[in-house]
Amino acid sequence: EQLDGLERQPQLMRDALVAYQDSVFAAVASGGDVAPEFELLTIDEIEQRFARAREDIDLQASFNLVSLWEAQLRRDYWVRVDERWKDDLSRAYREVHKSKDDPTKVRLVEDILEKIQACCPTCKHEVGAMKPIIPFRDWVAHGRYWDFDEERVPDPETVVGTICVMLECIGMEAWV
């Protein structure tokens, strides 16, 4: 429901980019017309541009997926608090809610993920698997004003797999 094909989108975009790259190389090889942005570039420079475009696709897809994941967790938090579910996780969320001076200031790691880890023993591994994604989430959420090692950006397929398993673990089947 929420992903609605988003997990396939990066590959579709990569495939389209490869098709465009092939057409540019074919035009260069045959001496045909190429887009103005490629006219004065060498083959190596064109390859570098397309490589960067592929990285950008993965970065944007990972950003979208992590944003959806966080929104889904926050929505789950509020549903459990408002509807007063009786499970341990919902009770822990209500305790967090009561303890806040400003109940709208719910922190992802301390108030949500740590409660999931404490209340859902079967989800400990899944929450732990999200740990490498948290620095990327922080970098995106806080304005990307510091340098972030691009090699630490999780690929979209890893993000989707990890998110789906974790959300399924806490009963959010809509994602899978």
Side-chain angles (χ1 to χ4, degrees), residues 43-61:
I43 294 293
D44 286 343
E45 291 169 330
I46 294 171
E47 285 176 349
Q48 288 172 358
R49 289 231 179 146
F50 280 106
R52 181 66 191 155
R54 281 189 297 278
E55 291 170 6
D56 289 345
I57 288 169
D58 286 351
L59 178 70
Q60 188 62 42

Side-chain angles (χ1 to χ4, degrees), residues 13-23 50 54:
M13 293 175 71
R14 282 189 222 111
D15 292 346
L17 187 65
V18 167
Y20 181 49
Q21 179 179 344
D22 291 346
S23 71
F50 280 106
R54 281 189 297 278

Side-chain angles (χ1 to χ4, degrees), residues 74-127:
R74 290 181 182 281
R75 188 180 98 192
D76 179 66
Y77 170 89
W78 285 107
V79 166
R80 289 173 185 268
V81 167
D82 290 343
E83 294 183 7
R84 302 189 55 77
W85 292 4
K86 303 301 181 205
D87 60 281
D88 291 341
L89 181 57
S90 300
R91 287 185 182 100
Y93 282 172
R94 283 196 300 278
E95 288 301 316
V96 167
H97 185 72
K98 289 177 196 173
S99 72
K100 297 281 184 185
D101 290 333
D102 183 353
T104 62
K105 302 286 185 187
V106 179
R107 296 171 302 182
L108 177 64
V109 174
E110 296 86 352
D111 297 334
I112 295 178
L113 292 178
E114 288 181 4
K115 298 302 180 252
I116 292 171
Q117 208 164 21
C119 296
C120 305
T122 58
C123 298
K124 283 184 179 184
H125 175 72
E126 286 76 10
V127 173

